[in-house]
Amino acid sequence: MKVGIIGGGFVGSTAAFAMVMAGSASEIVLVDANEKLAMAQAHDIAHAIPFAHPVVVRHGGYGELDGAGVVVLSAGVAQRPGETRLQLLERNARVFADIIPKALAAAPDAVLLVASNPVDVMTQVATRISGLPRCRVVGSGTVLDTARFRALIGQRLNVTPKSVHAQVVGEHGDSEVLLWSGARAAGMAIDAFAAHTGRPLTDEDRAAIDRGVRRAAYTIIEGKGHTAFGIAGGLARMVSAIAADERAVLTCSILNDDVLGVPEVALSLPRVVGAGGVLETVLPDLADAEAAALRRSAEILKEAATSVEATL
């Protein structure tokens, strides 16, 4: 499958590299307002192809997106000193208003995969601008937060994260909800598994894992200025699921009709991802506190989206 990536910065270029290493696509086209950057990134990534999968990687303009099955939106502007979150949202919404029609003119059947932050609100903005069915405008959402959650539980229990089943829902951000009540390993509730293996999870352990998930981006950005590898892995995973019509269950964001009484809001829930984007959405069983937290997350995102949509 051909994949277009609009935005050749840290996230877009690292996502392209991850797709090459995973074999997620047959062709990748990098598009950026800075053509020299897009060209340099494409050349650099192409030099890794002999060590990975036979993927064609090149740069080009919007017309080169013709035939793409997925277009990743990783373009956006950086926050200015003293700028409010809403002002940043408004400027990024204007970027999307410019790039989305150009992308769809070349690739009208593509799934739009939104990576630009704040990803949930930008997914809602992209859905409104594009006019596409909601299932075809998919935000990376909490796919990365879920991976972080599983990784930290696995680390505490001394098992591979691939054997841990646990999810993060809601906002990709401060109000996200870690679903401890549904966390499982070996078919057992995570507390039972932990006790069985002699590594019981204390309240302090849970609090540390919560902080590790919720504050991960802040810690990484403080150390190196940006995040890229984790989200790139998540984007490559989502592209693989779409390309292969895998019907994988991933926590990602689309515009929902209603979430626990909050209407028209984009946030992450477990979703079946395959050809054409999101095929099904599942609202998992939630503890009362988790349901309340998810509703609050939806309210926060709804307020932000309503503010920025009024400017479109």
Side-chain angles (χ1 to χ4, degrees), residues 14-15 18-19 22 24 143-144 228-240:
T14 311
M19 291 176 202
S24 303
V143 70
L144 175 55
F229 294 112
I231 186 57
L235 292 168
R237 179 71 186 90
M238 294 175 74
V239 168
S240 293

Side-chain angles (χ1 to χ4, degrees), residues 1 19 24 70 111-114 138-144 231-246 248 250-254 273-274 277-278:
M1 184 180 70
M19 291 176 202
S24 303
V70 173
V111 173
L112 297 183
L113 181 51
V114 181
V138 186
S140 56
T142 59
V143 70
L144 175 55
I231 186 57
L235 292 168
R237 179 71 186 90
M238 294 175 74
V239 168
S240 293
I242 294 168
D245 191 20
E246 187 177 338
L250 302 170
T251 52
C252 53
S253 185
I254 66 170
V273 179
V278 169

Side-chain angles (χ1 to χ4, degrees), residues 22 116 123 145 172 181-182 225 231 237 251 271:
S116 302
T123 298
D145 309 272
H172 172 57
S181 68
I231 186 57
R237 179 71 186 90
T251 52
R271 306 187 196 273

Side-chain angles (χ1 to χ4, degrees), residues 136-291:
R136 283 179 52 199
V137 185
V138 186
S140 56
T142 59
V143 70
L144 175 55
D145 309 272
T146 289
R148 289 167 172 162
F149 190 25
R150 293 175 179 178
L152 290 174
I153 291 175
Q155 182 180 345
R156 175 65 185 84
L157 300 181
N158 199 29
V159 298
T160 173
K162 290 181 174 291
S163 294
V164 176
H165 300 278
Q167 296 166 321
V168 178
V169 297
E171 178 191 13
H172 172 57
D174 293 343
S175 72
E176 64 191 20
V177 184
L178 282 62
L179 300 184
W180 284 102
S181 68
R184 297 284 186 274
M188 304 167 66
I190 206 70
D191 282 331
F193 181 86
H196 184 78
T197 57
R199 293 174 175 267
L201 282 169
T202 66
D203 290 342
E204 290 77 12
D205 292 329
R206 286 174 176 254
I209 289 171
D210 185 281
R211 286 192 303 273
V213 174
R214 203 177 300 276
R215 303 295 299 177
Y218 296 102
T219 302
I220 294 168
I221 290 169
E222 181 181 0
K224 69 172 192 173
H226 66 277
T227 63
F229 294 112
I231 186 57
L235 292 168
R237 179 71 186 90
M238 294 175 74
V239 168
S240 293
I242 294 168
D245 191 20
E246 187 177 338
R247 298 169 185 259
V249 178
L250 302 170
T251 52
C252 53
S253 185
I254 66 170
L255 181 55
N256 303 274
D257 293 334
D258 178 275
V259 177
L260 298 178
V262 180
E264 297 292 307
V265 63
L267 53 67
S268 285
L269 291 169
R271 306 187 196 273
V272 180
V273 179
V278 169
L279 308 179
E280 300 285 348
T281 294
V282 178
L283 181 64
D285 294 333
L286 303 171
D288 290 345
E290 293 169 345

Side-chain angles (χ1 to χ4, degrees), residues 59-144:
H59 79 287
Y62 286 93
E64 300 299 314
L65 300 176
D66 178 37
V70 173
V71 173
V72 178
L73 303 178
S74 59
V77 294
Q79 192 163 7
R80 296 167 176 165
E83 185 175 38
T84 67
R85 184 170 180 265
L86 180 56
Q87 288 170 330
L88 175 63
L89 274 170
E90 290 171 354
R91 291 202 297 133
N92 271 330
R94 289 194 290 272
V95 171
F96 270 30
D98 176 57
I99 67 177
I100 288 174
K102 294 176 183 177
L104 291 178
D109 298 322
V111 173
L112 297 183
L113 181 51
V114 181
S116 302
N117 277 320
V119 68
D120 302 292
V121 177
M122 295 310 297
T123 298
Q124 188 154 342
V125 167
T127 304
R128 301 297 194 206
I129 291 171
S130 69
L132 293 176
R134 298 177 180 197
C135 63
R136 283 179 52 199
V137 185
V138 186
S140 56
T142 59
V143 70
L144 175 55

